[in-house]
């Protein structure tokens, strides 16, 4: 029977440290953006920070202003050892479900890193299937700088996609609600119908299609 005890020291995650190196090798932080909206792909980012080139002000992207997120987005891309932003499409969301599509986007982000991490730290309580040791950390985007950085990259990239969606379909107001099921968005769906950007497996969109 395998013993529950181990000589290997437990990896403890200090609050808001860079964690680009944990004694075993490089550590990547991973987070996603866009699970809740009714439209657009879900995005994920993976980041390996450089402890010799620190970035001030990293935090959960939701706790930052849009202006600060934009500034940090550029700084992260300039200073990180490497980073990757990936997505799962609307079609993949509808085919797989939003959870599995999110995990797929995370997997793609990690696999797209120029450097191979020895460990991956993922925000939340679910892990993508990886060939690298990984740990899920609830509220990790507020605890671990590499995850904070990933949350910022994913959020800004997702918001920029929403601006592109707005340009092609301004009547839906994507620039404002970012695809979330606000009253404005639901009214636009009822008035104008469903676009190719909309997730047909999500209840409000499916209801409109069924009642059209």
């Amino acid at each position: 029977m395998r013993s529950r005890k181990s000589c290997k020291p437990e990896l403890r995650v200090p609050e808001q440290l860079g964690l680009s190196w944990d004694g075993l090798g490089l550590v990547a932080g991973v987070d996603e953006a866009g699970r809740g909206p009714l439209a657009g792909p879900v995005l994920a980012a993976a980041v390996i920070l450089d402890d010799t080139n620190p970035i001030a002000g990293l935090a959960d992207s939701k706790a930052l202003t849009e202006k600060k997120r934009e500034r940090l987005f550029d700084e992260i891309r300039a200073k990180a050892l490497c980073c990757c932003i990936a997505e799962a499409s609307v079609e993949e969301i509808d085919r797989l479900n939003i959870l599995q599509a999110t995990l797929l986007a995370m997997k793609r982000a990690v696999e797209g890193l120029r450097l191979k991490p020895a460990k991956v730290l993922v925000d939340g309580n679910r892990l993508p299937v990886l060939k690298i040791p990984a740990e899920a950390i609830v509220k990790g985007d507020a605890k671990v700088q590499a995850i904070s950085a990933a949350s910022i990259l994913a959020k800004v990239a997702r918001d920029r996609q929403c601006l592109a969606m707005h340009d092609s379909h301004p009547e839906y107001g994507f620039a404002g609600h970012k695809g979330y099921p606000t009253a404005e968005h639901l009214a636009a769906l009822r008035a104008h119908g469903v676009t190719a950007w909309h997730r047909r497996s999500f209840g409000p969109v499916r209801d409109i299609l069924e009642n059209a």
Side-chain angles (χ1 to χ4, degrees), residues 8-13 19-20 22 24-30 47-48 110 113 116-122 130 132-137:
K8 184 178 178 180
E10 179 184 359
L11 174 66
R12 297 188 181 277
V13 181
L19 288 176
S20 64
D22 73 345
L24 301 175
L26 296 173
V27 174
V30 178
V47 181
I48 301 177
V110 173
L113 290 170
K116 183 177 179 180
K119 185 160 188 174
V120 176
L121 302 178
V122 180
L130 300 169
I132 302 166
E135 180 179 351
I137 301 176

Side-chain angles (χ1 to χ4, degrees), residues 7-133:
C7 295
K8 184 178 178 180
E10 179 184 359
L11 174 66
R12 297 188 181 277
V13 181
E15 291 199 358
Q16 287 300 5
L17 295 181
L19 288 176
S20 64
W21 188 273
D22 73 345
L24 301 175
L26 296 173
V27 174
V30 178
D31 202 0
E32 55 78 25
R35 284 185 63 173
L38 303 179
V42 60
L43 271 67
V47 181
I48 301 177
L49 293 175
D50 182 356
D51 281 346
T52 68
N53 202 5
I55 301 169
L58 292 175
D60 173 6
S61 63
K62 297 183 291 297
L64 301 171
T65 64
E66 181 178 356
K67 183 178 181 180
K68 191 162 188 178
R69 285 196 300 266
E70 289 282 348
R71 178 184 65 75
L72 285 168
F73 180 92
D74 293 336
E75 190 172 359
I76 293 163
R77 289 176 59 85
K79 291 183 175 180
L81 290 178
C82 62
C83 57
C84 179
I85 302 170
E87 69 176 49
S89 68
V90 171
E91 292 77 12
E92 288 170 323
I93 292 170
D94 287 339
R95 176 166 53 86
L96 299 173
N97 76 45
I98 185 59
L99 172 60
Q100 294 305 316
T102 300
L103 296 176
L104 176 60
M106 288 180 170
K107 176 181 173 69
R108 287 169 173 167
V110 173
E111 292 178 345
L113 290 170
R114 179 178 57 84
L115 301 174
K116 183 177 179 180
K119 185 160 188 174
V120 176
L121 302 178
V122 180
D123 181 59
N125 58 8
R126 300 294 293 271
L127 292 171
V129 176
L130 300 169
K131 296 179 181 179
I132 302 166

Side-chain angles (χ1 to χ4, degrees), residues 193-210:
V194 175
T195 72
W197 290 109
H198 283 96
R199 302 170 180 178
R200 284 156 170 74
S201 58
F202 278 44
V205 180
R206 186 174 62 246
D207 290 345
I208 286 173
L209 289 170
E210 291 175 352

